[in-house]
Amino acid sequence: MQTIDTYDFRGKKAIVRVDFNVPLNEKFEITDDTRIRAAVPTLKKVLSGGGSLIIMSHLGRPKGVTEKYSLKHILGRVSELLGVPVQFADDCMKADAQASALKPGEVLVLENLRFYAEEEGKPRGLADDASEDVKKAAKAEIKEKQKEFVKKLASYADCYINDAFGTAHRAHASTALIASYFPNDKMFGYVMEGEIKAIEKVLGNPVKPVTAIIGGAKVSSKITIIEKLFDVCDNMIIGGGMVFTFMKAKGGKTGSSICEDDQLQLAADTLRKAEEKGVKIYLSEGVVAADKFDNNANVKVCSAMNIPDGWMGMDADDETLKVWEKVLHESKTVLWNGPVGVFEMPAFAKGTLRIAEILAEITAKGAFTLVGGGDSVAAVTQMGFADKVSYVSTGGGAMLEALEGKELPGIKAIRE
Ligand code: AMP
């Protein structure tokens, strides 16, 4: 397999799938350029190695050509960050002349791939009441057209780099299918390499003891990850709203806390599986409860097994945090997914903040700490701890699927 560090880019045109799906305000200004900055090392590596760049990405979820989702809005920032002018192909299917004229050091950005339904390979504009036959025919038609789409994109370049971890769980034209045109000239970019290494450090051969912290609202959305992690974990800390489904399954009284009554059996089975696998579970035994779902609610500390009627558990209490702190300080590998309280409200952010602080402390002592998937990423970033943990994943859905043990199409396409 080729790697970006050893590949000879001299005189080569590299088509690079990046994730430039950045938020824009109503004036089409970028409000957070993190994703663009993340791709810069990969893009600069090609340029400094004597190659030229054809950059492709999606932006938003357009259902056709839409001004709001044009990648032209971000060209200025890309040019600024790369330190070179960038050209733009305003139709990603009509870039032949521009691509073939590219000289080493030059950069061409293709317009939003998702202006074409072929990128995702899903039919558009089907009536809701379309018959199964019509749907099937439309699907077959778009899959056929998709082949031409992929072929055209591939025709622009000599090599392919996938650096879009955020879409690595999708088998789209630019994220997976195109790779087959470059059997000996395909590779991961640095973002992808970093994410893959981080996942392997947890799921592959982690340094023990391994602790996972799983939070968030619902156990149903995390159950596959929880069970997969039982294979590698010594300890699992469970916090957030999902705790109450476990507590109720154990016969507890959860007041008006969030609770999935249809998942009680699943929660009980999960606790039993943990025991069978020798994984020690640390539920949030004590909670800060509120009399309403509001930052200014009245609060009291109580046992998560015995929450009074009309009260709801909103955060882990100090005693629980002390127990968790001890477990985490004894751990060498830690994965964190999901806030352990309603961190969006300052009154109930303490537990989540404390977890971020502890992860920073143990990272400084040499533990490997990965924060991956959804709201925990937002929490560490917002709380200013993103650079104090070992790795913060950039891909929400992709990271969750990787942690569930699935092989991501974007990774498979490069490896096979
Ligand atoms: P998830 O996307 O599943 O990781 O869930 C994240 C959400 O869970 C956040 O919006 C939190 O506010 C929410 N959450 C965490 N703890 C609780 C709780 N005790 N009660 C209700 N929601 C919670």
Side-chain angles (χ1 to χ4, degrees), residues 129-383:
D129 57 356
S131 70
E132 281 311 309
D133 282 351
V134 168
K135 282 187 195 159
K136 220 168 135 189
K139 218 170 164 182
E141 189 189 340
I142 191 75
K143 287 286 172 203
E144 217 32 59
K145 282 181 158 175
Q146 189 182 43
K147 290 182 191 156
E148 290 308 309
F149 184 82
V150 175
K151 193 169 164 190
K152 174 63 100 180
L153 290 176
S155 74
Y156 298 149
D158 305 303
C159 61
Y160 166 65
I161 303 176
N162 188 354
D163 210 20
F165 184 71
T167 47
H169 57 317
R170 307 280 181 226
H172 292 167
S174 67
T175 60
L177 306 182
I178 190 174
S180 66
Y181 281 88
F182 304 94
N184 302 311
D185 301 275
K186 54 183 180 178
M187 65 211 90
F188 297 121
Y190 291 122
V191 173
M192 285 285 272
E193 277 188 354
E195 297 276 354
I196 292 168
K197 268 190 210 141
I199 294 163
E200 277 171 0
K201 275 194 160 177
V202 176
L203 294 188
N205 198 8
V207 183
K208 293 202 154 243
V210 181
T211 301
I213 309 161
I214 305 293
K218 292 182 173 176
V219 64
S220 54
S221 65
K222 301 281 167 84
I223 192 66
T224 327
I225 295 182
I226 291 178
E227 294 199 350
K228 171 74 194 163
L229 290 173
F230 284 168
D231 294 339
V232 292
C233 275
D234 300 289
N235 311 300
M236 186 174 287
I237 288 172
I238 300 183
M242 74 171 72
V243 162
F244 306 105
T245 306
F246 286 102
M247 291 302 181
K248 200 160 182 180
K250 289 187 354 164
K253 233 176 112 250
T254 55
S256 40
S257 307
I258 184 171
C259 181
E260 290 175 281
D261 285 325
D262 55 344
Q263 305 290 342
L264 297 180
Q265 188 57 47
L266 179 96
D269 291 346
T270 305
L271 294 176
R272 187 180 38 76
K273 279 185 198 160
E275 206 174 318
E276 279 164 17
K277 295 210 167 190
V279 178
K280 187 126 183 40
I281 301 277
Y282 294 88
L283 289 167
S284 172
E285 299 289 344
V287 291
V288 177
D291 60 354
K292 55 183 173 190
F293 195 74
D294 190 304
N295 190 46
N296 299 314
N298 294 309
V299 296
K300 65 172 155 194
V301 170
C302 49
S303 156
M305 282 293 276
N306 196 11
I307 299 176
D309 289 341
W311 290 75
M312 58 190 83
M314 300 286 274
D315 197 7
D317 76 342
D318 287 343
E319 286 309 309
T320 299
L321 289 171
K322 274 188 210 147
V323 175
W324 290 353
E325 181 173 356
K326 186 164 182 294
V327 176
L328 290 168
H329 270 278
E330 286 163 1
S331 304
K332 291 277 181 281
T333 303
V334 175
L335 164 77
W336 181 20
N337 175 285
V340 298
V342 184
F343 78 103
E344 297 91 337
M345 298 180 193
F348 308 107
K350 189 176 170 193
T352 301
L353 175 62
R354 189 68 200 118
I355 295 280
E357 282 169 358
I358 298 169
L359 292 204
E361 288 160 21
I362 64 170
T363 309
K365 282 197 324 192
F368 179 77
T369 52
L370 165 63
V371 183
D375 277 347
S376 38
V377 171
V380 280
T381 310
Q382 192 180 307
M383 291 168 174

Side-chain angles (χ1 to χ4, degrees), residues 30 33 36-37 40 44 47 73-86 107 109:
I30 301 167
D33 67 355
I36 303 182
R37 281 186 287 108
V40 166
K44 282 197 168 164
L47 296 178
H73 304 307
I74 64 150
L75 294 177
R77 189 74 189 116
V78 176
S79 172
E80 225 169 81
L81 288 167
L82 291 180
V84 293
V86 301
V107 182
V109 175

